C-alpha cells in the first residue's frame, strides 16, 4: 500500500501532464478497470479450488517486476500514451485477481469473533499508507516521476517476500488436479446459484455497483479540478485529501475500540450513505477550511460503513463460496466503476467539474433509497451480525 499510494498518484499526474485531457485521463482509468469485468468470472471459481496464498505472493513478485520495467521505460524512453494504456490493462488484470485472492484468504486467518478488530486494523493501514502522497507530490516537483515507480517495485518485492511465510489451511484445494475444468465449471455454476438464492447479498452487491458508479465518477474529476485551480492546485488537493486520510485513520481506530450494538448496524450504515451524499455533493463549493473538515468527516464515517459491510458479508459467506462471491461483487462494482469513469470523463468536458461531483454524489443517494432501504428486511440480518 505504501508503494501503490505513490505510484497511483504518480500515474495520475503522468497522464494528466502528458495529455492535458480529462477524457483521456478517464479513458486511462477505464482501461485499467476493464479487465475487472472479465477476470473475476474466472478468478473466483479458480481461487475456490487453488491456493490463494500462492497466488498472492506470485502476483506481488510479478508486480515488482512490472513496476521496475516502468521505471526503466520512463527513464530511457519516456511516456508513450498507448504503451502505458496497455500496461494499465495488464496492471488492472493483476490487481483484480489479487484483490479476490486477498479478500478471500484474509477472513480465513482471523480467529473467531475477531472480524471487527481485524478489519479495523486493515482499514487503518490504508490511510497510514497515503501519508506517502505528500511525499510523492514533493518528489513530483523535485526529482520527477521515475523513482516513484522504482520505489513501488521495491515495496512489492518486500510484500511478496513476507507473504511467502503466511501459514494457512486451504482445504478447498484438495484433489484440484484430478477435478480439472469440469470442477471449474461446476464451481462457477454454484457461485451464480448461491448469489441468486441469497437475496440480501444480491441487493448489497447491486447497491455497491451504484456506489462504485458514483464515486468512480467523482474520483475522475477531483484531481483535474484541483489542478485547474492554478500552481497550488496539487498542493491543495493533497491537503484536502490528506484530511480525509486522517479521518479514515481515526475511523479505523474508533471502529476497533467501539462495539456497535448489532441491531443498529444497518441503521448506522444507511445513515452514513445519506450523510456521505450530503457532504460530497457540496464541499467543493465551500472555503478550503470547510473542504478539509468535510473531507475529514467523510473519512471517519466512510470507514465505519465499510467495516460494517465487509465484516458482515465476509463472516456470513461460507469459505467454500467466498472467492466466488467476492469475484461477483468485484465484477459488478467494476461495471459501475467503468461506467462512472467513462461517463464522468465525457460530462466533465461539457459542464463544470464541481457540478459533475454533485450529480454523481446524488446518484449514490438514489441507490441507497431505492435499493438498500426498500430491501432492508433482507439486508439487515446480514449487517446486524455479531462479528
Amino acid at each position: 500500500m505504501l508503494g501503490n499510494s505513490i505510484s497511483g498518484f504518480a500515474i495520475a499526474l503522468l497522464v494528466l501532464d502528458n495529455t492535458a485531457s480529462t477524457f483521456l485521463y478517464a479513458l486511462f482509468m477505464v482501461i485499467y478497470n476493464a479487465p475487472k469485468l472479465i477476470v473475476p468470472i474466472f478468478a473466483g471459481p479458480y481461487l475456490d479450488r487453488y491456493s490463494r496464498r500462492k497466488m498472492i505472493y506470485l502476483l506481488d513478485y510479478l508486480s515488482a517486476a512490472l513496476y521496475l520495467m516502468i521505471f526503466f521505460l520512463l527513464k530511457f524512453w519516456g511516456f508513450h500514451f498507448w504503451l502505458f494504456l496497455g500496461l494499465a490493462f495488464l496492471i488492472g488484470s493483476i490487481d483484480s485477481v489479487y484483490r479476490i485472492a486477498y479478500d478471500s484468504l484474509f477472513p480465513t486467518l482471523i480467529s473467531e469473533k475477531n472480524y471487527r478488530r481485524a478489519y479495523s486494523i486493515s482499514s487503518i493501514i490504508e490511510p497510514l499508507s497515503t501519508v506517502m502522497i505528500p511525499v510523492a507530490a514533493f518528489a513530483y516537483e523535485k526529482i520527477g516521476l521515475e523513482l516513484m515507480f522504482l520505489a513501488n517495485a521495491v515495496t512489492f518485492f518486500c510484500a511478496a517476500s513476507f507473504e511467502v511465510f503466511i501459514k494457512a489451511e486451504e482445504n478447498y484445494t484438495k484433489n484440484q488436479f484430478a477435478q480439472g475444468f469440469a470442477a471449474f465449471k461446476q464451481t462457477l455454476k454454484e457461485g451464480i446459484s448461491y448469489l441468486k438464492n441469497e437475496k440480501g447479498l444480491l441487493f448489497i452487491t447491486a447497491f455497491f455497483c451504484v456506489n462504485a458508479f458514483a464515486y468512480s465518477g467523482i474520483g475522475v474529476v477531483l484531481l483535474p479540478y484541483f489542478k485547474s485551480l492554478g500552481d497550488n492546485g496539487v498542493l491543495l488537493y493533497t491537503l484536502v485529501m490528506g484530511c480525509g486520510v486522517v479521518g479514515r485513520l481515526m475511523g479505523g481506530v474508533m471502529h476497533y475500540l467501539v462495539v456497535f450494538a448489532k441491531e443498529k448496524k444497518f441503521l448506522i450504515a444507511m445513515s452514513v450513505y445519506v450523510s456521505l451524499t450530503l457532504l460530497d455533493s457540496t464541499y467543493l463549493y465551500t472555503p478550503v477550511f470547510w473542504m478539509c473538515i468535510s473531507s475529514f468527516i467523510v473519512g471517519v464515517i466512510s470507514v465505519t460503513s465499510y467495516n460494517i459491510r465487509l465484516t458482515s458479508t465476509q463472516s456470513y459467506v461460507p469459505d467454500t463460496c467466498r472467492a466466488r462471491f467476492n469475484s461477483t461483487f468485484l465484477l459488478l462494482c467494476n461495471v459501475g466503476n467503468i461506467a462512472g469513469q467513462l461517463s464522468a470523463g465525457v460530462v466533465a468536458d461539457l459542464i463544470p467539474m464541481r457540478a459533475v461531483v454533485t450529480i454523481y454524489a446524488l446518484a449514490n443517494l438514489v441507490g441507497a433509497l431505492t435499493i438498500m432501504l426498500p430491501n432492508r428486511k433482507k439486508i439487515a440480518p446480514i449487517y446486524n451480525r455479531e462479528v
Side-chain angles (χ1 to χ4, degrees):
M1 286 187 176
L2 283 171
N4 263 345
S5 64
I6 296 174
S7 64
F9 185 73
I11 288 175
L13 290 174
L14 190 68
V15 176
L16 281 172
D17 281 353
N18 286 277
T19 65
S21 168
T22 303
F23 174 73
L24 289 179
Y25 171 61
L27 177 63
F28 193 89
M29 299 306 297
V30 167
I31 294 301
Y32 165 74
N33 281 305
K36 299 176 184 179
L37 297 179
I38 304 299
V39 172
I41 295 173
F42 300 97
Y46 180 88
L47 291 168
D48 271 339
R49 293 195 179 272
Y50 295 84
S51 174
R52 301 163 189 169
R53 182 185 70 89
K54 290 180 181 177
M55 183 64 71
I56 283 173
Y57 68 72
L58 288 174
L59 287 177
D60 270 351
Y61 278 129
L62 178 60
S63 295
L66 187 61
Y67 280 106
L68 183 63
M69 184 182 75
I70 292 175
F71 164 72
F72 284 115
L73 283 172
L74 286 174
K75 189 168 183 62
F76 297 108
W77 198 24
F79 177 81
H80 295 267
F81 181 77
W82 296 107
L83 172 62
F84 274 79
L85 207 61
L87 289 172
F89 185 87
L90 178 58
I91 293 170
S93 300
I94 293 171
D95 287 354
S96 60
V97 178
Y98 184 92
R99 171 73 181 274
I100 296 165
Y102 175 87
D103 285 349
S104 303
L105 179 67
F106 188 65
T108 67
L109 307 177
I110 303 170
S111 57
E112 191 176 355
K113 300 299 182 184
N114 278 317
Y115 274 77
R116 177 181 61 82
R117 293 185 179 92
Y119 279 105
S120 297
I121 293 170
S122 181
S123 63
I124 289 170
I125 293 171
E126 185 173 1
L128 279 175
S129 70
T130 53
V131 300
M132 298 303 292
I133 289 180
V135 176
F138 176 80
Y140 168 68
E141 297 290 343
K142 301 296 182 182
I143 62 174
L145 295 169
E146 298 93 340
L147 289 176
M148 298 188 201
F149 294 101
L150 178 61
N152 202 21
V154 172
T155 57
F156 264 110
F157 183 84
C158 292
S161 299
F162 280 113
E163 288 160 350
V164 169
F165 295 99
I166 293 173
K167 304 295 183 186
E169 275 193 47
E170 298 182 282
N171 296 322
Y172 46 82
T173 63
K174 292 177 180 177
N175 301 320
Q176 51 182 302
F177 297 108
Q179 295 177 45
F181 188 69
F184 171 86
K185 290 193 294 183
Q186 180 62 27
T187 305
L188 179 59
K189 183 179 177 181
E190 289 169 1
I192 295 170
S193 177
Y194 175 75
L195 193 59
K196 282 183 179 178
N197 293 328
E198 290 287 349
K199 299 298 184 184
L201 291 175
L202 187 61
F203 291 131
I204 292 169
T205 303
F207 167 67
F208 276 93
C209 178
V210 176
N211 178 270
F213 170 82
Y215 281 95
S216 64
I218 292 171
V220 160
V221 300
L222 277 180
L223 182 56
Y225 169 74
F226 280 102
K227 210 167 184 298
S228 71
L229 298 179
D231 294 338
N232 294 323
V234 173
L235 180 62
L236 180 58
Y237 171 83
T238 304
L239 175 64
V240 175
M241 295 304 110
C243 290
V245 168
V246 175
R248 290 197 296 274
L249 180 60
M250 295 299 294
V253 172
M254 181 184 73
H255 198 78
Y256 184 89
L257 298 174
V258 177
V259 179
F260 297 112
K262 67 177 185 178
E263 64 274 9
K264 300 293 184 183
K265 287 183 180 179
F266 176 78
L267 178 61
I268 292 170
M270 275 299 301
S271 301
V272 168
Y273 302 147
V274 174
S275 300
L276 286 175
T277 297
L278 297 176
L279 291 167
D280 286 328
S281 62
T282 58
Y283 80 108
L284 290 182
Y285 296 91
T286 64
V288 173
F289 175 76
W290 177 249
M291 284 188 191
C292 293
I293 296 297
S294 180
S295 184
F296 174 81
I297 296 171
V298 165
V300 172
I301 64 176
S302 63
V303 165
T304 300
S305 64
Y306 170 81
N307 281 347
I308 289 173
R309 191 266 303 173
L310 199 57
T311 56
S312 60
T313 56
Q314 294 303 308
S315 62
Y316 181 81
V317 178
D319 186 41
T320 51
C321 292
R322 190 174 286 123
R324 277 163 284 177
F325 167 71
N326 287 335
S327 64
T328 305
F329 183 90
L330 183 63
L331 169 66
L332 292 176
C333 286
N334 282 315
V335 170
N337 269 331
I338 290 177
Q341 288 166 347
L342 196 56
S343 60
V346 173
V347 173
D349 285 340
L350 303 174
I351 65 174
M353 284 186 274
R354 288 191 298 185
V356 175
V357 172
T358 300
I359 292 168
Y360 279 74
L362 290 173
N364 186 63
L365 179 62
V366 171
L369 296 180
T370 59
I371 299 174
M372 296 293 282
L373 193 59
N375 296 295
R376 57 190 177 277
K377 289 184 179 179
K378 298 286 187 182
I379 299 168
I382 298 175
Y383 271 32
N384 295 343
R385 290 170 58 78
E386 187 68 59
V387 293

